[in-house]
């Protein structure tokens, strides 16, 4: 274990420091009190006046009562106006969404019609090709490979 040295405090010096701290604290408190005393606001001096204008107390109370009654109606009116504005905003939003959906439906309808026209064109083109092939085979007199032979149309082939 390492040895250590204990230094005892100097009592006179310690007491002197504590007294100086107390003296400084007391001096600061006295300075604060003196400052507060110097900066205390003075008395308020107001010249008396008649308040309330030219109305009597009864008229003022009646006016106050009317304002109170009207304030209820004003609050109700404000509330109704707020609800009306909110509904209008919602209606505008709904109309906007409907317009968007209507445009989508119109575009879809146009696309569907274009597809229908394209399908019909392809059908007529295919029908035209098939008809043309059939007419070419009939013109050449070649028998059709996947069906029975067609008798030649002439006076000798008819039974009548």
């Amino acid at each position: 274990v390492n040895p250590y040295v204990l230094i005892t405090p100097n009592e006179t010096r310690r007491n002197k420091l504590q007294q100086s701290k107390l003296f400084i604290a007391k001096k600061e408190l006295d300075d604060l009190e003196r400052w507060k005393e110097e900066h205390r606001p003075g008395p308020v001096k107001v010249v008396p006046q008649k308040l309330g204008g030219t109305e009597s107390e009864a008229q003022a109370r009646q006016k106050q009562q009317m304002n109170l009654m009207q304030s209820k109606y004003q609050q109700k009116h404000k509330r109704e106006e707020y609800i009306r504005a909110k509904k209008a905003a919602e209606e505008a939003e709904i109309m906007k969404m409907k317009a968007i959906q209507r445009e989508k439906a119109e575009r879809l309808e146009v696309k569907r019609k274009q597809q229908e026209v394209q399908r019909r064109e392809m059908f007529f083109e295919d029908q035209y090709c098939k008809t043309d092939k059939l007419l070419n085979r009939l013109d050449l007199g070649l028998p059709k490979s996947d069906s029975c032979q067609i008798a030649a149309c002439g006076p000798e082939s008819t039974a009548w």
Side-chain angles (χ1 to χ4, degrees):
V1 180
N2 293 334
Y4 60 94
V5 177
L6 181 64
I7 301 173
T8 58
N10 188 350
E11 284 294 321
T12 57
R13 189 172 179 194
R14 183 171 179 262
N15 289 338
K16 196 175 187 181
L17 272 174
Q18 283 184 342
Q19 286 177 358
S20 67
K21 285 182 183 178
L22 286 173
F23 177 74
I24 291 172
K26 187 176 180 184
K27 183 181 174 190
E28 287 178 354
L29 281 174
D30 290 340
D31 289 343
L32 179 65
E33 288 297 323
R34 193 171 5 95
W35 184 87
K36 283 182 180 179
E37 193 66 35
E38 288 173 359
H39 291 89
R40 184 186 323 176
V44 177
K45 296 178 184 177
V46 179
V47 177
Q49 298 177 18
K50 182 178 178 183
L51 300 176
T54 59
E55 295 179 339
S56 68
E57 184 179 346
Q59 288 174 338
R61 289 192 187 277
Q62 186 178 8
K63 187 176 179 182
Q64 198 175 28
Q65 184 69 23
M66 289 296 292
N67 286 340
L68 179 66
M69 289 172 58
Q70 287 177 355
S71 71
K72 291 179 184 178
Y73 292 119
Q74 287 173 350
Q75 286 177 353
K76 186 177 179 182
H77 182 68
K78 279 184 184 179
R79 197 175 309 119
E80 288 174 354
E81 191 67 31
Y82 172 74
I83 290 170
R84 193 176 304 119
K86 189 175 178 183
K87 283 184 180 179
E90 288 176 359
E91 189 68 27
E93 187 69 26
I94 289 170
M95 294 298 284
K96 183 179 175 184
M97 291 171 65
K98 281 183 178 180
I100 291 170
Q101 290 299 326
R102 193 175 300 114
E103 288 177 11
K104 284 182 182 178
E106 288 172 357
R107 282 190 298 234
L108 189 64
E109 184 67 24
V110 167
K111 185 177 178 182
R112 189 185 62 78
K113 284 182 180 180
Q114 286 177 349
Q115 287 177 346
E116 181 69 22
V117 167
Q118 187 179 8
R119 187 185 64 79
R120 283 182 187 237
E121 286 177 359
M122 287 178 62
F123 173 74
F124 286 131
E125 186 179 315
D126 188 46
Q127 185 180 16
Y128 177 77
C129 287
K130 296 275 185 183
T131 306
D132 194 33
K133 282 182 184 178
L134 179 67
L135 290 175
N136 284 339
R137 283 189 184 158
L138 288 176
D139 285 345
L140 293 176
L142 297 175
K144 197 173 184 182
S145 62
D146 61 341
S147 64
C148 62
Q149 288 186 356
I150 300 173
C153 295
E156 55 272 353
S157 64
T158 60
W160 309 7

